[in-house]
Amino acid sequence: MNFPTIPHESNVVSINVGGRIFQTTKQTLTLAGTDSLLSRLVVTESTRFVDRDPDLFSVLLYILRTGNLPARSRAFDVRDLIDESRYYGIESFLIDSLSNSSQFEPFDLRRSRILQLNGRDSPSTISPTLIGGGLHVAHGSKITSFDWSLRQKSTVLTNFSAVDSLLEISPGVLAAGATDFPGLQIIDIENGGFVRTTLNWEKVVRSSSTVQAIGSSPEFLFASFESSRRNSNSIMVYDLSSLLPVSEIDHCEIYGANIDSAIPSTKLRWIQSCNLLMVSGSHTSPSGVNGHIRFWDVRSRNMVWEIKETQDCFSDVTVSDNLSAVFKVGVTSGEVSYADLRRLGTKDPWVCLGEEKKRSLNERRGVGCKIESYGNHVFCSSKGSGIELWSEVITGLLGNASRDVSEERVFRKNSFGKLADSGENKITGLAFGGNRMFVTRKDQQSFEVWQSPSRGISI
């Protein structure tokens, strides 16, 4: 067995914090950065006394050593940890530990906090921050931003009567759009909501175009547009750094009674492993609900696959890079189904994970249900105010070998969040950031924060 060598005595630094002696190495303290108080202790030969709380210091030292929050940190108030981390100059380490997705425990989520919003409007859409585990919430014509500690940073007033699409494209910069107001606005939240520029569908010259959905990849910004006359729709691709138009895909013009062409894409998701953009949209008519799920190669502007939805069309759809599958919740059944990304060429790629029963088109148990993926898990607000958690079960036959495409995959469902006689409203939005899940509900002027109490502090 190889045991780590004991560092030479001169490499050990002793620190007296509030009467308790801590010993660590110079390398650990150097990690804090040259501007931090801890890095300045490296050059101190004798034991240095710091008149601060030793219990809080032990948590911060653990974060510096491992990058993670210790389980004992849940015993402390987050504001105390924030103040201490700022005193020592290592707040960024605390932020990283709180926003670390590896700290996300899907099987042990608890609602830790409900944050109220100003005004009378319910959240229309939410967007997690790119770093730090914060959140942007659109409610009415306003966007309210919360930092990593979930402290309200700002509220800005937009030109929209209601914001329907929202996405942070760089720290402090949002892309926002509405279905009843033209243009995709790039908003600088850090500078009072200043609109840097407005992007439009350039080929629509006689009528303005509204935004139906926003998405992004490491290189591109995607926006789904529909003309105000609703006789054409398209997806514009922009360079994410310059915001200049790169190309146009999925352009549809409506001719006669062609219902398929009339459906704009209302959800855009980038699949990093395949370098493909998944777009989806649906339409409700007296005869039922139909829709499409398409996969586009953005660089070649070619559509790779298309799934036309007629039987139990989706209420919502998402894609998981980690699970290499597309998931939908059916409008009629309210059940979750998946399609393996490697079997999309088959006639009917869907495999139902719930109770596969024939249901009347008038039943529509899944109307309004939301579904999102995060890590190796899929969350669905199916059939009520609760949440279904779907996770793949890896059987012993698979071992470490790669999965055969023909093998049947097994998923397990866990339900949580619904209490008997709770009277909670239907979930309207799910979003994830770091080790948190954010939930919005119908007619509620607030949003919920869900975390695992067994991992670190709950804010």
Side-chain angles (χ1 to χ4, degrees), residues 40-233:
R40 296 197 293 271
L41 299 178
V42 173
V43 297
T44 304
E45 296 295 335
S46 59
T47 301
R48 178 71 179 268
F49 177 77
V50 182
D51 190 16
R52 305 294 289 190
D53 189 304
D55 293 327
L56 293 173
F57 179 79
S58 69
V59 173
L60 298 179
L61 187 59
Y62 184 94
I63 293 174
L64 200 61
R65 288 167 170 164
T66 67
N68 297 319
L69 280 166
R72 65 178 181 274
S73 62
R74 56 180 170 165
F76 300 99
D77 186 278
V78 66
R79 299 307 310 178
D80 293 336
L81 282 173
I82 294 172
D83 292 340
E84 288 299 286
S85 67
R86 288 173 177 170
Y87 175 81
Y88 292 107
I90 57 171
E91 184 183 10
S92 61
F93 287 83
L94 181 59
I95 295 174
D96 290 342
S97 64
L98 282 169
S99 60
N100 189 347
S101 59
S102 66
Q103 300 282 311
F104 186 74
E105 294 282 0
F107 298 104
D108 194 26
L109 288 175
R110 301 286 191 277
R111 184 165 51 193
S112 62
R113 194 170 178 183
I114 299 177
L115 294 177
Q116 298 294 326
L117 299 169
N118 297 328
R120 300 180 179 179
D121 298 300
S122 302
S124 55
T125 183
I126 54 179
S127 173
T129 58
L130 293 174
I131 56 175
L135 188 69
H136 304 287
V137 183
H139 50 116
S141 58
K142 301 179 290 295
I143 299 175
T144 298
S145 300
F146 296 82
D147 65 10
W148 67 274
S149 64
L150 297 181
R151 176 180 59 86
Q152 183 173 322
K153 289 181 61 179
S154 63
T155 296
V156 300
L157 188 64
T158 69
N159 296 326
F160 307 113
S161 58
V163 180
D164 300 300
S165 301
L166 190 67
L167 181 68
E168 184 174 77
I169 58 176
S170 64
V173 179
L174 303 177
T179 59
D180 61 354
F181 194 92
L184 175 66
Q185 294 190 355
I186 306 302
I187 302 174
D188 190 335
I189 288 293
E190 300 295 334
N191 291 312
F194 169 72
V195 178
R196 290 187 176 183
T197 185
T198 300
L199 306 177
N200 291 285
W201 181 15
E202 293 184 347
K203 291 190 177 181
V204 179
V205 295
R206 294 186 178 179
S207 63
S208 57
S209 54
T210 59
V211 175
Q212 306 298 308
I214 309 172
S216 68
S217 73
E219 296 180 69
F220 303 114
L221 171 66
F222 311 105
S224 173
F225 286 101
E226 183 181 39
S227 65
S228 61
R229 297 176 182 176
R230 297 187 176 180
N231 59 356
S232 58
N233 53 75

Side-chain angles (χ1 to χ4, degrees), residues 3 22 64 79 117 185 225 235 266 280 298 303 308 345 355 375:
F3 293 94
F22 293 86
L64 200 61
R79 299 307 310 178
L117 299 169
Q185 294 190 355
F225 286 101
I235 296 175
T266 54
S280 62
V298 176
M303 185 173 65
K308 291 189 176 181
E355 300 176 4

Side-chain angles (χ1 to χ4, degrees), residues 273-379:
S273 60
C274 306
N275 283 321
L276 296 175
L277 177 66
M278 186 196 78
V279 307
S280 62
S282 62
H283 173 75
T284 303
S285 65
S287 60
V289 183
N290 62 344
H292 66 259
I293 302 174
R294 299 170 183 151
F295 300 83
W296 285 86
D297 184 330
V298 176
R299 294 189 180 279
S300 66
R301 289 185 287 180
N302 292 325
M303 185 173 65
V304 179
W305 294 298
E306 180 178 21
I307 304 174
K308 291 189 176 181
E309 290 284 281
T310 54
Q311 297 295 323
D312 197 17
C313 183
F314 58 84
S315 172
D316 195 14
V317 62
T318 190
V319 62
S320 172
D321 235 337
N322 290 18
L323 297 174
S324 189
V326 181
F327 295 84
K328 73 170 182 176
V329 52
V331 168
T332 303
S333 65
E335 301 292 352
V336 174
S337 300
Y338 83 93
D340 196 300
L341 286 175
R342 297 159 298 174
R343 299 179 60 185
L344 291 180
T346 59
K347 184 177 180 181
D348 184 12
W350 294 113
V351 178
C352 183
L353 299 179
E355 300 176 4
E356 193 169 11
K357 298 178 180 179
K358 299 295 183 181
R359 300 188 182 277
S360 167
L361 288 176
N362 296 324
E363 195 167 358
R364 296 186 179 178
R365 298 181 63 193
V367 171
C369 291
K370 300 297 180 182
I371 189 167
E372 293 290 348
S373 66
Y374 190 59
N376 295 323
H377 308 278
V378 175
F379 297 80

Side-chain angles (χ1 to χ4, degrees), residues 235-273:
I235 296 175
M236 287 295 299
V237 182
Y238 301 93
D239 181 271
L240 190 58
S241 58
S242 65
L243 297 178
L244 294 175
V246 174
S247 61
E248 178 185 3
I249 60 174
D250 207 22
H251 183 185
C252 297
E253 296 284 345
I254 300 173
Y255 299 102
N258 187 355
I259 298 298
D260 289 343
S261 297
I263 304 174
S265 295
T266 54
K267 198 164 192 178
L268 311 176
R269 290 291 184 269
W270 179 253
I271 312 173
Q272 185 66 34
S273 60

